[in-house]
Amino acid sequence: MAFRKKGLCLLLGLIGIGTAAMGQDKQIVVQAVDGRNGKPIANQHMLVFGGDSTEAVRQQKNQYELTTDKDGLATLTLVPGTQWLQVWMDWHVLCQSEHNSKNFPVKDILVSGLSTPNNCSSVSEKAAPGHLVVFARPERFWEKMRH
């Protein structure tokens, strides 16, 4: 009888550990880089929109607010089921066509890492698995005036 109790406790413990491991939140490191010179964009406020589809991202279903550290890094903890991301940066223009409207697949970011396009210069940055490198530049005076 005692053997059965121990076996049952062990089984329940293993099920609990497996469930906890499956329910762990996924994290992505977002790295903000000045697309003109490759320097980190420190203390930068970013909005990241996520969702299970590109349409959900457009509708801004899940919104994350991040602030980069002195090295331009911020950690994003994803809501379970998030498959796509889109990044916006305050007072900066992303160095890609279709500013603030390009979605990035979470699967690719987690597996191999991803760098956004950089149309601001030839600066590039190789992303490690779990990292999203975002290239941007400060807004110009007339771009700021449009706000």
Side-chain angles (χ1 to χ4, degrees):
M1 187 69 162
F3 179 73
R4 285 186 178 175
K5 284 184 180 177
K6 286 181 182 177
L8 181 61
C9 287
L10 179 62
L11 179 63
L12 291 174
L14 290 173
I15 290 171
I17 290 170
T19 304
M22 286 176 18
Q24 287 181 346
D25 294 328
K26 293 183 177 125
Q27 292 187 328
I28 290 176
V29 174
V30 181
Q31 180 179 358
V33 176
D34 189 317
R36 302 167 307 166
N37 56 28
K39 293 183 181 178
I41 302 175
N43 306 312
Q44 174 62 46
H45 179 261
M46 293 187 287
L47 282 176
V48 179
F49 299 107
D52 59 359
S53 67
T54 55
E55 183 59 31
V57 173
R58 272 191 290 280
Q59 294 173 1
Q60 303 175 351
K61 295 278 185 185
N62 298 317
Q63 178 178 331
Y64 309 91
E65 290 196 49
L66 304 175
T67 302
T68 61
D69 64 12
K70 64 180 177 57
D71 298 316
L73 303 173
T75 301
L76 170 64
T77 302
L78 298 171
V79 169
T82 302
Q83 309 239 347
W84 295 91
L85 296 176
Q86 183 182 109
V87 180
W88 296 48
M89 297 178 82
D90 289 351
W91 308 110
H92 282 73
V93 174
L94 298 179
C95 294
Q96 62 192 30
S97 60
E98 305 171 39
H99 305 289
N100 296 333
S101 66
K102 189 163 177 69
N103 299 316
F104 302 101
V106 169
K107 181 179 133 185
D108 292 353
I109 297 168
L110 292 172
V111 171
S112 57
L114 196 134
S115 291
T116 66
N118 183 7
N119 296 335
C120 294
S121 76
S122 62
V123 170
S124 66
E125 183 88 24
K126 175 85 173 113
H131 284 69
L132 173 63
V133 179
V134 180
F135 292 99
R137 63 166 174 77
E139 287 181 325
R140 296 181 177 107
F141 176 76
W142 59 88
E143 291 169 327
K144 289 179 185 177
M145 298 306 292
R146 289 187 219 160
H147 292 286

